[in-house]
Amino acid sequence: MPEPLDHRALYRLPWSLPDNPIAWLEPTEACNIYCEGCYRAHVTQGHKSMREIENDLRTFARYRNFDGVSIAGGDPLTHPEIVGIVGLVRTMGWKPIVNTNGFALTEDMLRRLKDAGVAGFTFHIDSKQTRPGWKKKTELELNDLRLELATRLERAGGISCAFNATVYEDTLPYVPDLVAWARKHIDKVHVMVFIAYRQASGEGGDSMEFWVGDKRIDMDSLVYSRPTGGRRVDISSRDVVDEIRKRFPDFAPCAYLNGTEKADSLKWLLTTYAGTRDEVVGYVGPKFMELMQTYHHLRHGRFLAYAPPSMLRHGRTLAATMWPIDGGVRRALGRYLAGVARRPLRPLPRLHVQSVMIIQPVDILADGRMNMCDACPDVTVHEGELVWSCRLEELKKYGGFARGVAREESVVTADR
Ligand code: SF4
């Protein structure tokens, strides 16, 4: 029986508001498909100019030390100057990571993006998208699409490959299947990201009202406050881990980001393991992650975003250098060597490294507090300031972030 997750036994990632591996650039609001869990209003236009994009990048640079730029949206491939944007990010000294649904990624576009210096892709693929040719497909059937994209990146060479999926109540049981699929393709797939579905109804439900400054706002007018049909909006990282452990009981996260309101909420929960195409030999522990983060920061002055494939396929070297300081790496190396000893005449199998990141976005607590990701990596720029990208619609529509107030409490406040 695996131990319940205790955040104090994990490594708290050292990221902060001004020093963080990534920044979240939104060059466009436009998207070419529809995703149920999207927190951006669905529009087909809304590209920023190159000048605006460069200004956003300069704002990031003014406030934050970072390694990679997640180029998101909307879908960034809809922007007519996406190749120039990737080139600009690279020229300014960061790794461009394209966060896309992949629908517009033709072979020609991939080649041009690679020439412009793209470092990685994160493909958002899940079963609650209206994706032409893939409508009503299950998470398992969508693995064919995932594999097609991963294989194309592998052929292009030198590009990091990640997938993310929103996790809904009814798709939660598929998460172990997606982890199993990713393990099978550990040589092509570097990161799997699972993002718990949210809507702003929160734990308080109807008993909650929302205010910006001294004005009560209609939260239901925002895209992330839609009727859920009774679907759960409180799936936690622990729920996702519990589900994965039904299939992989040894699944062992090593690092996390806490919540701004709850120290023990696992808002970003990282699990990293090493394996061959046939088996996962073990999970790295908190010490490994601490050393990796610290070493990269000491050497490059930044925390690491998206390790390049050339590093992730050298699990043997990582294990051989890190085993003295990390028990998880020692166990993984021992298991790998035992496997080699059982098949002495075969060539040494390559040891790859793969990660699973589970993200638990905003939790609206029963008393109205918003439990955000402490040291949010995905801050974006709005009117020259860094803001949570997951709540941008509040700023656009109401000029500020909403705060929740339990209804009874708000009446008391109004009476005073
Ligand atoms: S707080 Fe930041 S990291 Fe967390 S869900 Fe929102 S944008 Fe993403």
Side-chain angles (χ1 to χ4, degrees), residues 100-410:
T100 172
N101 56 49
F103 182 58
L105 188 66
T106 60
E107 285 296 338
D108 178 56
M109 175 60 81
L110 177 56
R111 189 183 44 73
R112 290 166 59 215
L113 290 172
K114 184 169 182 213
D115 290 347
V118 73
F121 284 84
T122 298
F123 295 109
H124 178 197
I125 296 176
D126 68 48
S127 55
K128 298 205 192 291
Q129 298 174 314
T130 54
R131 181 186 292 272
W134 296 88
K135 284 181 196 160
K136 297 203 178 357
K137 298 290 184 194
T138 66
E139 293 296 339
L140 296 186
E141 289 167 328
L142 285 166
N143 281 341
D144 290 345
L145 174 60
R146 294 183 179 103
L147 186 56
E148 183 190 318
L149 289 165
T151 305
R152 283 168 58 190
L153 290 201
E154 187 192 34
R155 271 203 306 266
I159 303 175
S160 164
C161 178
F163 290 94
N164 75 35
T166 310
V167 178
Y168 303 81
E169 187 173 1
D170 59 330
T171 60
L172 180 58
Y174 288 101
V175 171
D177 295 315
L178 297 194
V179 173
W181 173 84
R183 287 173 171 224
K184 197 168 143 204
H185 300 289
I186 196 168
D187 54 332
K188 298 184 180 66
V189 177
H190 307 113
V191 184
M192 292 295 281
V193 184
F194 298 105
I195 305 171
Y197 171 70
R198 286 290 182 272
Q199 287 291 328
S201 50
E203 289 175 34
D206 288 343
S207 60
M208 189 77 65
E209 52 191 48
F210 294 92
W211 293 70
V212 172
D214 61 356
K215 292 206 170 43
R216 188 173 163 194
I217 63 152
D218 175 16
M219 197 68 156
D220 290 348
S221 66
L222 299 177
V223 65
Y224 40 79
S225 191
R226 289 169 293 203
T228 61
R231 190 190 271 164
R232 277 185 68 186
V233 292
D234 63 348
I235 295 170
S236 69
S237 297
R238 286 183 172 83
D239 293 333
V240 180
V241 170
D242 288 348
E243 198 66 36
I244 295 173
R245 282 179 169 175
K246 289 179 187 168
R247 174 87 66 91
F248 304 106
D250 58 347
F251 188 81
C254 61
Y256 75 106
L257 284 181
N258 56 289
T260 51
E261 301 294 328
K262 285 190 163 185
D264 62 347
S265 48
L266 303 167
K267 305 296 282 185
W268 281 49
L269 182 63
L270 178 64
T271 306
T272 298
Y273 42 85
T276 64
R277 289 198 53 173
D278 298 325
E279 61 166 353
V280 163
V281 294
Y283 294 79
V284 311
K287 291 285 174 216
F288 173 93
M289 200 47 68
E290 184 168 358
L291 194 67
M292 289 298 286
Q293 293 284 334
T294 308
Y295 171 76
H296 196 274
H297 202 279
L298 276 172
R299 179 138 189 237
H300 303 283
R302 303 167 174 181
F303 294 117
L304 174 65
Y306 287 79
S310 54
M311 181 195 283
L312 298 175
R313 77 169 75 97
H314 285 109
R316 285 194 311 237
T317 312
L318 283 175
T321 47
M322 301 290 256
W323 68 267
I325 60 130
D326 187 275
V329 175
R330 269 196 297 284
R331 283 188 290 280
L333 188 59
R335 194 163 157 194
Y336 174 75
L337 293 176
V340 169
R342 279 197 300 277
R343 298 180 291 267
L345 298 179
R346 290 211 201 147
L348 281 183
R350 214 179 250 290
L351 201 54
H352 301 269
V353 176
Q354 187 177 70
S355 294
V356 172
M357 183 68 91
I358 302 169
I359 300 179
Q360 176 183 319
V362 54
D363 305 298
I364 304 175
L365 307 182
D367 61 4
R369 283 175 300 149
M370 308 280 195
N371 188 32
M372 306 299 292
C373 309
D374 198 21
C376 162
D378 293 345
V379 287
T380 194
V381 174
H382 179 71
E383 295 180 352
E385 297 295 331
L386 300 186
V387 300
W388 299 305
S389 57
C390 63
R391 295 181 56 192
L392 196 55
E393 298 296 322
E394 287 155 60
L395 290 177
K396 285 188 189 165
K397 182 144 192 182
Y398 296 113
F401 287 122
R403 64 184 196 286
V405 180
R407 237 179 242 289
E408 212 174 312
E409 191 185 317
S410 76

